[in-house]
Amino acid sequence: MTKESFYNFLDVTKEQWVEQVKKDLKGKDFKQTLINKVWNNVELLPFYCSEDIPNSIPAFRFHGEAKLPGISPRIWNNAVSFYPIDDKDCNKEILSVLQQGADAIIIHLRGTENLHEVLKGVMTEFIQLYFVPLSSPRIIFNQIMDWIESLHVKPGMLQGAIIWSPTSDLIKRNGDFQENIKLGVEMIKKLSAFRDFYPMTLDFSIYEDSGANGIQQSFLGLAEMVEMMDAFIKEAVSTAMLFENMAVFCSVGELFFPEIAKLKAIRILLQELAFNLGQEISSSSFHFIISSSTWSKSLIDQNSNLIRQTYEAMSAIFGGADTLWVRPALGEKASELEKRMARNVSNILKEESYLDKVMDPAAGSYYIDTLVENLRAKILEELWDFEENGGWLENFESRQIQEIVRKERSSIQESYLTHEKIKVGANKYEEKGGGAEKISFEKIVEESHELKPTRATYLLEKKTLNQS
């Protein structure tokens, strides 16, 4: 950013600006009137100056140079998810969406699918391919390896990841941590030649989608990484090897600028984590899969969900998404129209809003740079305290992690039910006859080890939709 002055304005310090604002407030308290907190911890000031961040954060390079000439500097993939029931029908749908703007496929696997049929005619070398295990990870891994080996898939023909890790499997299935680590070692070894395919994924989205705030999501996800690093080192997998084989999966919620800052802070902290163990990793070496959140959506107002999907997608892009996954609010049960609209969000932001023309548009913002630094410091403080209290695995087994998330979740859900917080279309300015009455409310039941995706308006929906 240039320091040269092109205008004959006098320099004004932040202190002088604050004094002027206090005069304009005419006796109102500056702090109580204008200062808010994001995620209950980090102060948000009404304005920021260069004095707030003397050492500005350099612009990020989220990925390497484009392989083809003439491609825009900022590249991300547009992901669409599939839950195969009939393999042939799923294949037809995949081939169709690849002709309509999608260039990344996320397949949720139960272990019974025929991948030869599901991916028939799909040129995997030109897309990103992700697998999400819905059953035993061992079964899914063998299923994927059988497909790779039977087709003699070459390393350059497969890009993407398996969205699974030894720790996330504990939350979803209450699996065996040591067995999961051994499976992870096996996956790394068997897929070592596939440099652009990640056999594991560090999953921050579990916490976002189940109700944790941005700081909680970040330190809990980083604590997972610390736990896995310790376990894999004992199995002769180096820190460098682990980072090379680990993608990162995050969700973004409603707070536009804080979500951008959260994603940047996570990237910085992952770099610092590796550096502390002797590995220097560039910001462009990470592979970030970023999705819109389920937590921020509401079954009561589908139209507002589209708006939320759009600005969450913008946060994801500005925050460094390599793959953007805009999830329809109804997920697997979404209509064809909802799926198409979700898929087109990325296309519109790229082709009509030109967000692909600049690598890091948020770079140089005093506000965002200050927020990144403040979030980074707070996340690191929470992570340090968490490690002092036993670390991720011990707190998972004692169910303290679940308690942290559920306490935050309940507080927010109650605040929407009592109208302490406002969500447009859900508890304010509701659309009468908007179709919500046709949606059946499904109760979410968790076992002690689980953190299931839910919504901030869940209690409100329970009350409203049951009365419909």
Side-chain angles (χ1 to χ4, degrees), residues 328-372:
L330 294 180
E332 187 178 357
K333 297 180 180 179
S335 67
E336 287 304 314
L337 177 61
E338 290 169 321
K339 291 177 183 178
R340 181 168 64 85
M341 294 179 76
R343 182 175 70 243
N344 283 341
V345 169
S346 176
N347 296 332
I348 291 170
L349 293 178
K350 183 180 294 184
E351 304 297 340
E352 297 187 18
S353 300
Y354 306 111
L355 298 191
D356 63 335
K357 302 306 178 187
V358 179
M359 177 62 74
D360 185 6
S365 162
Y366 296 144
Y367 170 36
I368 293 179
D369 280 2
T370 304
L371 193 51
V372 169

Side-chain angles (χ1 to χ4, degrees), residues 39-40 203-221 251-255 259 262 293-296 401-413 446 451-456:
W39 295 318
N40 306 319
D203 191 351
F204 291 83
S205 75
I206 289 177
Y207 306 109
E208 158 74 31
D209 292 336
S210 57
N213 67 42
I215 293 168
Q216 293 169 339
Q217 301 161 34
S218 303
F219 83 76
L220 289 172
S251 293
V252 288
E254 290 186 283
L255 301 178
E259 291 291 350
K262 178 190 80 176
S293 172
T294 61
W295 171 251
S296 61
I401 290 174
Q402 293 84 343
E403 180 63 25
I404 290 170
V405 177
R406 287 170 185 160
K407 183 178 179 181
E408 179 72 12
R409 172 208 296 170
S410 297
S411 173
I412 295 172
Q413 289 176 337
E446 285 181 335
L451 288 172
K452 286 189 176 181
T454 183
R455 298 170 298 280

Side-chain angles (χ1 to χ4, degrees), residues 173 176 257 263 319 461:
R173 298 178 56 255
D176 185 292
F257 292 111
L263 294 172
E461 293 163 11

Side-chain angles (χ1 to χ4, degrees), residues 195-340:
R195 308 302 299 171
D196 295 320
F197 187 79
Y198 300 86
M200 291 181 293
T201 301
L202 177 61
D203 191 351
F204 291 83
S205 75
I206 289 177
Y207 306 109
E208 158 74 31
D209 292 336
S210 57
N213 67 42
I215 293 168
Q216 293 169 339
Q217 301 161 34
S218 303
F219 83 76
L220 289 172
L222 289 166
E224 280 191 47
M225 191 65 183
V226 172
E227 196 71 54
M228 286 190 286
M229 287 165 65
D230 288 343
F232 276 108
I233 286 172
K234 292 175 183 176
E235 298 291 332
V237 175
S238 68
T239 302
M241 188 180 297
L242 182 59
F243 273 92
E244 287 171 1
N245 288 277
M246 184 81 73
V248 181
F249 179 28
C250 300
S251 293
V252 288
E254 290 186 283
L255 301 178
F256 182 72
F257 292 111
E259 291 291 350
I260 296 171
K262 178 190 80 176
L263 294 172
K264 288 191 166 191
I266 288 173
R267 190 180 292 261
I268 291 171
L269 287 166
L270 284 171
Q271 284 183 275
E272 292 179 353
L273 191 58
F275 184 78
N276 289 337
L277 290 173
Q279 299 298 324
E280 191 165 347
I281 298 176
S282 68
S283 63
S284 63
S285 64
F286 296 106
H287 183 81
F288 269 70
I289 309 153
I290 304 179
S291 74
S292 56
S293 172
T294 61
W295 171 251
S296 61
K297 308 305 179 296
S298 173
L299 297 182
I300 298 172
D301 183 14
Q302 296 297 305
N303 294 324
S304 295
N305 287 337
L306 179 61
I307 299 171
R308 296 183 184 106
Q309 286 173 341
T310 303
Y311 61 71
E312 287 173 11
M314 291 174 67
S315 291
I317 294 165
F318 291 153
D322 292 290
T323 291
L324 172 63
W325 178 16
V326 179
R327 293 187 277 186
L330 294 180
E332 187 178 357
K333 297 180 180 179
S335 67
E336 287 304 314
L337 177 61
E338 290 169 321
K339 291 177 183 178
R340 181 168 64 85

